[in-house]
Amino acid sequence: MAPARYRGAFSNGFQFSLCLGALAATVVNYGAEKIKAGWGWRLSLGLAGVPAVLLTVGAIFLPETPNSLVQQGKGRGEVKALLQKIRGVDAVDEELDDIVAANATGQAGDNGLRLILSQRRYRPQLAMAFLIPSFTQLTGINAIGFYAPVLLRTIGMSESAALLSTIVMVIISSTSTFASMLLVDRFGRRTLLVLGGVQMFLSEVLIGGIMAAKLRDEGQVSRAYAVVLIFLIAIYSTGFGWSWGPLSWLIPSEIFPLEVRSAGQSITVASGFVFTILVAQYFLAMLCRLKAWLFFFFAGWILVMTAFAYLFLPETKGIPIEQIGNLWGRHWYWKRVVGVEEVDDGQKL
């Protein structure tokens, strides 16, 4: 529903909301840890029901989108009225024509999942749907988010201090995500991904280097180095907050044509969840075995994904969603993958 010139800011608001939720959860955990009677964990888990209720009730009041109305077969006048309302202008016929044409393409084809898995023209979108959320988890951000208190205790902090430091880092991450909302439609998606990747890579290498050199056999570093490590983790979280964090949601949401949009988003979310589970399940075991080298493992993946964004991701800033499909045919690599297909009227796609 967002206009093309503000789509990045609105979409990045999704990640910003996630950060606010993480901040609220961390504050609750910090308070629950102070409860001496031992039932704090019940409060921590039980309060998760509050946002669940808000989501359920809020879903009742969600409006339809223009794309959804067209897919439901609503009249052109109704869809046009909604477009005029959310765009704030009367001249929406061109955008409406694009939406109607995209819907006609989807209805003429097979179901979205079969289309995106079988046809060459959707190969770039399929690759992005799988790789972008997978790469995002392989930055190690969720591992640090899940286990930051454990990690900070490993370098010698008390449990309470570790939780407090985690709150500070989540605040920093939330602030950087808000900054991304202001920057993404000005500088573009690809630029933020590359710069954020470089920032995270350098931070991970420095964290791994310090821990490898200074972590004692008993699992502690000096107070001074602990402060440096916390600072580097904050720098790393900042880099993630204004780049791969919000953009891993934004980019997949805007690259799928209407006919495969639902299927593509499903693949995106599923890939993210699969790798979230893998990282969450194996991080502690890997930390025990690899120790400081675990950060070099994540740094290696950050290097790979930054190079991928630079080489294979076209810039989508300011381009209407219905026109983004044209980018793949002009990209130096994807144009070879997409190829040229003949259609019934003799035109080339």
Side-chain angles (χ1 to χ4, degrees):
M1 295 179 72
R5 64 185 182 277
Y6 300 129
R7 189 174 61 240
F10 280 115
S11 297
N12 282 8
F14 185 87
Q15 177 69 16
F16 180 65
S17 299
L18 289 178
C19 289
L20 294 181
L23 176 60
T26 308
V27 170
V28 168
N29 287 340
Y30 179 75
E33 189 266 337
K34 301 293 185 182
I35 298 176
K36 301 301 183 183
W39 51 268
W41 65 273
R42 300 179 187 273
L43 177 66
S44 179
L45 289 178
L47 286 178
V50 175
V53 171
L54 293 176
L55 284 171
T56 304
V57 175
I60 300 173
F61 301 97
L62 279 178
E64 294 287 357
T65 67
N67 289 331
S68 177
L69 290 179
V70 171
Q71 287 178 312
Q72 294 173 40
K74 300 296 184 180
R76 185 181 178 92
E78 183 177 351
V79 182
K80 183 176 180 179
L82 177 59
L83 265 178
Q84 290 173 331
K85 179 180 179 181
I86 63 179
R87 296 291 182 255
V89 296
D90 294 330
V92 296
D93 290 293
E94 184 177 350
E95 182 178 0
L96 180 56
D97 289 340
D98 287 339
I99 295 173
V100 172
N103 181 65
T105 301
Q107 290 182 341
D110 208 334
N111 70 76
L113 183 60
R114 195 169 299 170
L115 280 175
I116 198 172
L117 293 176
S118 63
Q119 295 196 13
R120 289 177 60 189
R121 57 177 168 165
Y122 302 121
R123 289 291 186 271
Q125 293 95 329
L126 181 60
M128 299 298 167
F130 177 75
L131 289 175
I132 288 179
S134 304
F135 280 148
T136 302
Q137 300 310 315
L138 289 171
T139 62
I141 186 64
N142 270 354
I144 290 179
F146 292 156
Y147 299 113
V150 176
L151 190 62
L152 294 173
R153 289 179 66 189
T154 299
I155 61 176
M157 299 185 70
S158 67
E159 184 171 359
S160 181
L163 284 170
L164 184 60
S165 298
T166 303
I167 292 175
V168 173
M169 285 187 285
V170 175
I171 292 174
I172 292 172
S173 179
S174 301
T175 303
S176 61
T177 302
F178 180 76
S180 178
M181 295 173 61
L182 306 178
L183 298 173
V184 66
D185 288 311
R186 180 176 180 182
F187 295 102
R189 289 77 163 131
R190 191 163 164 263
T191 300
L192 295 189
L193 287 178
V194 172
L195 294 179
V198 171
Q199 180 176 335
M200 288 190 293
F201 173 77
L202 294 176
S203 300
E204 289 265 25
V205 169
L206 290 173
I207 291 171
I210 292 174
M211 292 188 71
K214 300 297 180 180
L215 197 63
R216 301 192 187 105
D217 291 337
E218 62 269 22
Q220 293 186 357
V221 296
S222 67
R223 184 179 182 85
Y225 278 110
V227 172
V228 173
L229 287 172
I230 293 172
F231 175 76
L232 288 173
I233 292 175
I235 294 296
Y236 164 83
S237 298
T238 301
F240 181 86
W242 63 266
S243 62
W244 283 86
L247 295 183
S248 65
W249 294 103
L250 167 60
I251 293 172
S253 73
E254 63 185 4
I255 62 173
F256 298 114
L258 182 60
E259 63 270 20
V260 296
R261 190 165 297 159
S262 297
Q265 283 292 78
S266 298
I267 294 172
T268 298
V269 176
S271 300
F273 277 139
V274 167
F275 276 83
T276 298
I277 292 170
L278 291 175
V279 171
Q281 290 298 313
Y282 291 105
F283 172 76
L284 287 181
M286 294 175 68
L287 180 62
C288 291
R289 289 167 175 77
L290 297 178
K291 296 183 172 59
W293 290 98
L294 178 60
F295 294 93
F296 294 109
F297 170 82
F298 287 131
W301 280 111
I302 293 173
L303 188 62
V304 170
M305 60 195 256
T306 302
F308 175 84
Y310 180 78
L311 294 173
F312 298 106
L313 182 66
E315 181 55 62
T316 55
K317 178 186 71 171
I319 301 175
I321 286 180
E322 285 71 31
Q323 298 177 19
I324 287 178
N326 299 327
L327 293 176
W328 310 109
R330 298 195 296 266
H331 189 269
W332 71 272
Y333 175 77
W334 293 118
K335 65 182 179 182
R336 298 180 234 173
V337 176
V338 173
V340 177
E341 299 176 6
E342 299 289 341
V343 295
D344 293 338
D345 60 3
Q347 295 178 340
K348 290 183 178 180
L349 294 177

